[in-house]
PDB file of all heavy atoms in Angstrom:
ATOM      1  N   PRO S  75      15.359  28.555 -42.985  1.00 79.00           N
ATOM      2  CA  PRO S  75      14.176  28.419 -42.091  1.00 79.00           C
ATOM      3  C   PRO S  75      13.525  27.024 -42.234  1.00 79.00           C
ATOM      4  O   PRO S  75      12.522  26.873 -41.625  1.00 79.00           O
ATOM      5  CB  PRO S  75      13.175  29.450 -42.592  1.00 79.00           C
ATOM      6  CG  PRO S  75      13.500  29.546 -44.036  1.00 79.00           C
ATOM      7  CD  PRO S  75      14.910  29.300 -44.260  1.00 79.00           C
ATOM      8  N   ARG S  90       7.087  16.049 -28.545  1.00 61.00           N
ATOM      9  CA  ARG S  90       7.483  17.523 -28.679  1.00 61.00           C
ATOM     10  C   ARG S  90       8.801  17.927 -28.097  1.00 61.00           C
ATOM     11  O   ARG S  90       9.606  18.624 -28.692  1.00 61.00           O
ATOM     12  CB  ARG S  90       6.428  18.491 -28.130  1.00 61.00           C
ATOM     13  CG  ARG S  90       5.008  18.302 -28.735  1.00 61.00           C
ATOM     14  CD  ARG S  90       4.008  18.961 -28.050  1.00 61.00           C
ATOM     15  NE  ARG S  90       2.724  18.636 -28.414  1.00 61.00           N
ATOM     16  CZ  ARG S  90       1.536  18.945 -27.833  1.00 61.00           C
ATOM     17  NH1 ARG S  90       1.524  19.585 -26.691  1.00 61.00           N
ATOM     18  NH2 ARG S  90       0.391  18.620 -28.350  1.00 61.00           N
ATOM     19  N   VAL S 141       1.291  30.868 -39.037  1.00 83.00           N
ATOM     20  CA  VAL S 141       1.989  31.093 -37.706  1.00 83.00           C
ATOM     21  C   VAL S 141       3.421  30.894 -37.794  1.00 83.00           C
ATOM     22  O   VAL S 141       4.307  31.558 -37.304  1.00 83.00           O
ATOM     23  CB  VAL S 141       1.336  30.093 -36.605  1.00 83.00           C
ATOM     24  CG1 VAL S 141       2.175  30.081 -35.425  1.00 83.00           C
ATOM     25  CG2 VAL S 141      -0.021  30.516 -36.332  1.00 83.00           C
ATOM     26  N   GLU S 157      20.750  44.930 -37.412  1.00 69.00           N
ATOM     27  CA  GLU S 157      21.797  45.248 -38.449  1.00 69.00           C
ATOM     28  C   GLU S 157      21.769  46.490 -39.148  1.00 69.00           C
ATOM     29  O   GLU S 157      22.544  46.846 -39.976  1.00 69.00           O
ATOM     30  CB  GLU S 157      21.504  44.055 -39.533  1.00 69.00           C
ATOM     31  CG  GLU S 157      21.950  42.649 -38.967  1.00 69.00           C
ATOM     32  CD  GLU S 157      23.376  42.534 -38.786  1.00 69.00           C
ATOM     33  OE1 GLU S 157      24.225  42.993 -39.661  1.00 69.00           O
ATOM     34  OE2 GLU S 157      23.869  42.050 -37.721  1.00 69.00           O
ATOM     35  N   PHE S 175       6.297  29.498 -45.429  1.00 85.00           N
ATOM     36  CA  PHE S 175       4.989  29.273 -45.645  1.00 85.00           C
ATOM     37  C   PHE S 175       4.762  28.074 -46.721  1.00 85.00           C
ATOM     38  O   PHE S 175       3.941  27.228 -46.423  1.00 85.00           O
ATOM     39  CB  PHE S 175       4.148  30.555 -46.133  1.00 85.00           C
ATOM     40  CG  PHE S 175       2.755  30.374 -46.210  1.00 85.00           C
ATOM     41  CD1 PHE S 175       1.875  30.476 -45.097  1.00 85.00           C
ATOM     42  CD2 PHE S 175       2.157  30.221 -47.460  1.00 85.00           C
ATOM     43  CE1 PHE S 175       0.521  30.537 -45.301  1.00 85.00           C
ATOM     44  CE2 PHE S 175       0.764  30.136 -47.604  1.00 85.00           C
ATOM     45  CZ  PHE S 175      -0.107  30.210 -46.476  1.00 85.00           C
ATOM     46  N   CYS S 204       6.573  15.417 -52.896  1.00 82.00           N
ATOM     47  CA  CYS S 204       6.901  16.077 -51.569  1.00 82.00           C
ATOM     48  C   CYS S 204       7.858  15.286 -50.807  1.00 82.00           C
ATOM     49  O   CYS S 204       8.811  15.893 -50.175  1.00 82.00           O
ATOM     50  CB  CYS S 204       5.570  16.159 -50.772  1.00 82.00           C
ATOM     51  SG  CYS S 204       4.415  17.360 -51.418  1.00 82.00           S
ATOM     52  N   MET S 235      17.761   5.879 -58.959  1.00 85.00           N
ATOM     53  CA  MET S 235      17.666   4.575 -59.463  1.00 85.00           C
ATOM     54  C   MET S 235      16.563   3.710 -58.914  1.00 85.00           C
ATOM     55  O   MET S 235      15.880   2.859 -59.559  1.00 85.00           O
ATOM     56  CB  MET S 235      19.028   3.759 -59.390  1.00 85.00           C
ATOM     57  CG  MET S 235      20.145   4.541 -60.268  1.00 85.00           C
ATOM     58  SD  MET S 235      21.664   3.491 -60.301  1.00 85.00           S
ATOM     59  CE  MET S 235      22.209   3.489 -58.634  1.00 85.00           C
ATOM     60  N   ILE S 255      19.568  20.234 -58.299  1.00 83.00           N
ATOM     61  CA  ILE S 255      19.578  21.524 -57.812  1.00 83.00           C
ATOM     62  C   ILE S 255      20.031  21.627 -56.293  1.00 83.00           C
ATOM     63  O   ILE S 255      20.824  22.579 -56.014  1.00 83.00           O
ATOM     64  CB  ILE S 255      18.045  22.177 -57.793  1.00 83.00           C
ATOM     65  CG1 ILE S 255      17.639  22.272 -59.317  1.00 83.00           C
ATOM     66  CG2 ILE S 255      17.985  23.428 -57.151  1.00 83.00           C
ATOM     67  CD1 ILE S 255      16.136  22.544 -59.441  1.00 83.00           C
ATOM     68  N   SER S 315      33.098   6.317 -58.300  1.00 81.00           N
ATOM     69  CA  SER S 315      32.957   5.692 -56.968  1.00 81.00           C
ATOM     70  C   SER S 315      31.544   5.948 -56.435  1.00 81.00           C
ATOM     71  O   SER S 315      30.981   5.117 -55.781  1.00 81.00           O
ATOM     72  CB  SER S 315      34.082   6.088 -56.079  1.00 81.00           C
ATOM     73  OG  SER S 315      33.943   7.577 -55.900  1.00 81.00           O
ATOM     74  N   LEU S 347      -8.202   0.313 -64.003  1.00 49.00           N
ATOM     75  CA  LEU S 347      -8.415  -0.516 -65.161  1.00 49.00           C
ATOM     76  C   LEU S 347      -9.263  -1.720 -64.811  1.00 49.00           C
ATOM     77  O   LEU S 347     -10.256  -2.177 -65.547  1.00 49.00           O
ATOM     78  CB  LEU S 347      -7.066  -1.006 -65.609  1.00 49.00           C
ATOM     79  CG  LEU S 347      -6.103  -0.023 -66.350  1.00 49.00           C
ATOM     80  CD1 LEU S 347      -4.832  -0.557 -66.649  1.00 49.00           C
ATOM     81  CD2 LEU S 347      -6.789   0.550 -67.526  1.00 49.00           C
ATOM     82  N   GLN S 412     -78.026 -19.476 -99.831  1.00 73.00           N
ATOM     83  CA  GLN S 412     -77.300 -19.299-101.060  1.00 73.00           C
ATOM     84  C   GLN S 412     -77.824 -18.461-102.071  1.00 73.00           C
ATOM     85  O   GLN S 412     -77.310 -17.418-102.405  1.00 73.00           O
ATOM     86  CB  GLN S 412     -77.016 -20.805-101.658  1.00 73.00           C
ATOM     87  CG  GLN S 412     -76.171 -21.685-100.816  1.00 73.00           C
ATOM     88  CD  GLN S 412     -75.843 -23.073-101.444  1.00 73.00           C
ATOM     89  OE1 GLN S 412     -76.258 -23.392-102.553  1.00 73.00           O
ATOM     90  NE2 GLN S 412     -75.204 -23.934-100.719  1.00 73.00           N
ATOM     91  N   LEU S 419     -78.867 -12.580 -94.430  1.00 76.00           N
ATOM     92  CA  LEU S 419     -77.810 -11.913 -93.638  1.00 76.00           C
ATOM     93  C   LEU S 419     -78.351 -10.624 -93.064  1.00 76.00           C
ATOM     94  O   LEU S 419     -78.023 -10.148 -91.927  1.00 76.00           O
ATOM     95  CB  LEU S 419     -76.565 -11.695 -94.345  1.00 76.00           C
ATOM     96  CG  LEU S 419     -75.847 -13.004 -94.706  1.00 76.00           C
ATOM     97  CD1 LEU S 419     -74.536 -12.694 -95.494  1.00 76.00           C
ATOM     98  CD2 LEU S 419     -75.368 -13.641 -93.461  1.00 76.00           C
ATOM     99  N   SER S 478     -54.933 -10.955 -70.273  1.00 61.00           N
ATOM    100  CA  SER S 478     -53.893 -11.541 -69.320  1.00 61.00           C
ATOM    101  C   SER S 478     -52.647 -11.747 -70.219  1.00 61.00           C
ATOM    102  O   SER S 478     -51.465 -11.529 -69.662  1.00 61.00           O
ATOM    103  CB  SER S 478     -54.381 -12.795 -68.664  1.00 61.00           C
ATOM    104  OG  SER S 478     -55.458 -12.570 -67.950  1.00 61.00           O
ATOM    105  N   ASN S 488     -41.731  -4.193 -69.267  1.00 64.00           N
ATOM    106  CA  ASN S 488     -41.356  -3.501 -68.046  1.00 64.00           C
ATOM    107  C   ASN S 488     -39.986  -4.166 -67.437  1.00 64.00           C
ATOM    108  O   ASN S 488     -39.192  -3.349 -66.893  1.00 64.00           O
ATOM    109  CB  ASN S 488     -42.359  -3.642 -67.000  1.00 64.00           C
ATOM    110  CG  ASN S 488     -43.637  -2.748 -67.360  1.00 64.00           C
ATOM    111  OD1 ASN S 488     -43.440  -1.643 -68.010  1.00 64.00           O
ATOM    112  ND2 ASN S 488     -44.887  -3.207 -67.009  1.00 64.00           N
ATOM    113  N   ARG S 533     -22.101  12.589 -55.747  1.00 74.00           N
ATOM    114  CA  ARG S 533     -23.141  12.650 -56.617  1.00 74.00           C
ATOM    115  C   ARG S 533     -24.119  13.599 -55.958  1.00 74.00           C
ATOM    116  O   ARG S 533     -24.762  13.144 -55.126  1.00 74.00           O
ATOM    117  CB  ARG S 533     -23.804  11.137 -56.953  1.00 74.00           C
ATOM    118  CG  ARG S 533     -24.928  11.316 -58.000  1.00 74.00           C
ATOM    119  CD  ARG S 533     -25.466  10.011 -58.189  1.00 74.00           C
ATOM    120  NE  ARG S 533     -24.661   8.984 -58.860  1.00 74.00           N
ATOM    121  CZ  ARG S 533     -24.875   7.728 -58.977  1.00 74.00           C
ATOM    122  NH1 ARG S 533     -26.059   7.268 -58.579  1.00 74.00           N
ATOM    123  NH2 ARG S 533     -24.119   6.907 -59.651  1.00 74.00           N
ATOM    124  N   GLY S 535     -23.828  15.392 -53.722  1.00 80.00           N
ATOM    125  CA  GLY S 535     -23.107  15.716 -52.540  1.00 80.00           C
ATOM    126  C   GLY S 535     -22.161  14.520 -52.238  1.00 80.00           C
ATOM    127  O   GLY S 535     -22.192  13.383 -52.820  1.00 80.00           O
ATOM    128  N   ILE S 540     -17.222   4.146 -44.123  1.00 85.00           N
ATOM    129  CA  ILE S 540     -15.964   3.678 -43.498  1.00 85.00           C
ATOM    130  C   ILE S 540     -16.385   2.427 -42.752  1.00 85.00           C
ATOM    131  O   ILE S 540     -17.388   2.329 -41.954  1.00 85.00           O
ATOM    132  CB  ILE S 540     -15.465   4.732 -42.380  1.00 85.00           C
ATOM    133  CG1 ILE S 540     -15.063   6.022 -43.180  1.00 85.00           C
ATOM    134  CG2 ILE S 540     -14.399   4.203 -41.639  1.00 85.00           C
ATOM    135  CD1 ILE S 540     -14.556   7.099 -42.403  1.00 85.00           C
ATOM    136  N   SER S 547     -17.673   2.355 -27.193  1.00 56.00           N
ATOM    137  CA  SER S 547     -18.291   3.506 -26.519  1.00 56.00           C
ATOM    138  C   SER S 547     -18.838   4.395 -27.687  1.00 56.00           C
ATOM    139  O   SER S 547     -19.606   5.363 -27.335  1.00 56.00           O
ATOM    140  CB  SER S 547     -17.159   4.372 -25.907  1.00 56.00           C
ATOM    141  OG  SER S 547     -16.099   4.711 -26.810  1.00 56.00           O
ATOM    142  N   GLY S 618     -29.847  12.845 -49.889  1.00 82.00           N
ATOM    143  CA  GLY S 618     -30.304  14.238 -50.123  1.00 82.00           C
ATOM    144  C   GLY S 618     -31.589  14.401 -50.830  1.00 82.00           C
ATOM    145  O   GLY S 618     -32.005  15.503 -51.134  1.00 82.00           O
ATOM    146  N   GLU S 643     -47.214   2.168 -50.729  1.00 86.00           N
ATOM    147  CA  GLU S 643     -46.132   1.176 -50.382  1.00 86.00           C
ATOM    148  C   GLU S 643     -45.297   0.738 -51.547  1.00 86.00           C
ATOM    149  O   GLU S 643     -44.146   0.661 -51.411  1.00 86.00           O
ATOM    150  CB  GLU S 643     -46.795  -0.163 -49.750  1.00 86.00           C
ATOM    151  CG  GLU S 643     -47.283   0.137 -48.268  1.00 86.00           C
ATOM    152  CD  GLU S 643     -46.181   0.637 -47.354  1.00 86.00           C
ATOM    153  OE1 GLU S 643     -45.069   0.069 -47.413  1.00 86.00           O
ATOM    154  OE2 GLU S 643     -46.396   1.696 -46.626  1.00 86.00           O
ATOM    155  N   ALA S 651     -35.712   1.629 -53.952  1.00 69.00           N
ATOM    156  CA  ALA S 651     -34.732   0.651 -54.390  1.00 69.00           C
ATOM    157  C   ALA S 651     -34.053   1.105 -55.599  1.00 69.00           C
ATOM    158  O   ALA S 651     -33.126   0.419 -56.150  1.00 69.00           O
ATOM    159  CB  ALA S 651     -35.535  -0.704 -54.791  1.00 69.00           C
ATOM    160  N   LEU S 772     -50.276  26.004 -42.817  1.00 91.00           N
ATOM    161  CA  LEU S 772     -50.876  26.148 -44.210  1.00 91.00           C
ATOM    162  C   LEU S 772     -51.826  24.954 -44.530  1.00 91.00           C
ATOM    163  O   LEU S 772     -52.783  25.143 -45.170  1.00 91.00           O
ATOM    164  CB  LEU S 772     -49.767  26.365 -45.284  1.00 91.00           C
ATOM    165  CG  LEU S 772     -50.230  26.581 -46.708  1.00 91.00           C
ATOM    166  CD1 LEU S 772     -51.081  27.839 -46.737  1.00 91.00           C
ATOM    167  CD2 LEU S 772     -48.941  26.668 -47.621  1.00 91.00           C
ATOM    168  N   LYS S 778     -59.315  23.555 -43.634  1.00 91.00           N
ATOM    169  CA  LYS S 778     -60.395  24.227 -43.079  1.00 91.00           C
ATOM    170  C   LYS S 778     -61.313  24.929 -44.051  1.00 91.00           C
ATOM    171  O   LYS S 778     -62.593  24.974 -43.983  1.00 91.00           O
ATOM    172  CB  LYS S 778     -59.923  25.201 -41.900  1.00 91.00           C
ATOM    173  CG  LYS S 778     -59.355  24.494 -40.727  1.00 91.00           C
ATOM    174  CD  LYS S 778     -58.864  25.599 -39.739  1.00 91.00           C
ATOM    175  CE  LYS S 778     -58.121  24.839 -38.523  1.00 91.00           C
ATOM    176  NZ  LYS S 778     -57.547  25.873 -37.703  1.00 91.00           N
ATOM    177  N   ASN S 785     -69.685  23.071 -46.283  1.00 86.00           N
ATOM    178  CA  ASN S 785     -70.749  23.112 -45.145  1.00 86.00           C
ATOM    179  C   ASN S 785     -70.319  22.201 -44.051  1.00 86.00           C
ATOM    180  O   ASN S 785     -71.193  21.640 -43.297  1.00 86.00           O
ATOM    181  CB  ASN S 785     -72.154  22.846 -45.681  1.00 86.00           C
ATOM    182  CG  ASN S 785     -72.679  23.952 -46.671  1.00 86.00           C
ATOM    183  OD1 ASN S 785     -72.308  25.054 -46.483  1.00 86.00           O
ATOM    184  ND2 ASN S 785     -73.279  23.458 -47.621  1.00 86.00           N
ATOM    185  N   MET S 792     -60.654  13.862 -47.777  1.00 90.00           N
ATOM    186  CA  MET S 792     -59.815  15.099 -48.048  1.00 90.00           C
ATOM    187  C   MET S 792     -58.441  14.919 -47.410  1.00 90.00           C
ATOM    188  O   MET S 792     -58.403  14.608 -46.222  1.00 90.00           O
ATOM    189  CB  MET S 792     -60.526  16.335 -47.465  1.00 90.00           C
ATOM    190  CG  MET S 792     -61.855  16.779 -48.133  1.00 90.00           C
ATOM    191  SD  MET S 792     -62.484  18.252 -47.369  1.00 90.00           S
ATOM    192  CE  MET S 792     -63.925  18.460 -48.457  1.00 90.00           C
ATOM    193  N   MET S 802     -30.760  25.270 -44.720  1.00 77.00           N
ATOM    194  CA  MET S 802     -30.363  24.382 -43.602  1.00 77.00           C
ATOM    195  C   MET S 802     -29.444  25.229 -42.681  1.00 77.00           C
ATOM    196  O   MET S 802     -28.625  25.896 -43.195  1.00 77.00           O
ATOM    197  CB  MET S 802     -29.508  23.242 -44.153  1.00 77.00           C
ATOM    198  CG  MET S 802     -29.066  22.311 -43.232  1.00 77.00           C
ATOM    199  SD  MET S 802     -30.363  21.474 -42.312  1.00 77.00           S
ATOM    200  CE  MET S 802     -30.783  20.196 -43.549  1.00 77.00           C
TER     201      MET S 802
END
Side-chain angles (χ1 to χ4, degrees):
R90 299 169 191 167
V141 166
E157 288 292 312
F175 185 81
C204 290
M235 291 192 294
I255 293 171
S315 59
L347 291 174
Q412 293 180 5
L419 292 177
S478 297
N488 287 329
R533 184 184 290 175
I540 295 178
S547 61
E643 285 301 314
L772 182 57
K778 288 177 183 177
N785 297 320
M792 294 183 176
M802 182 66 75

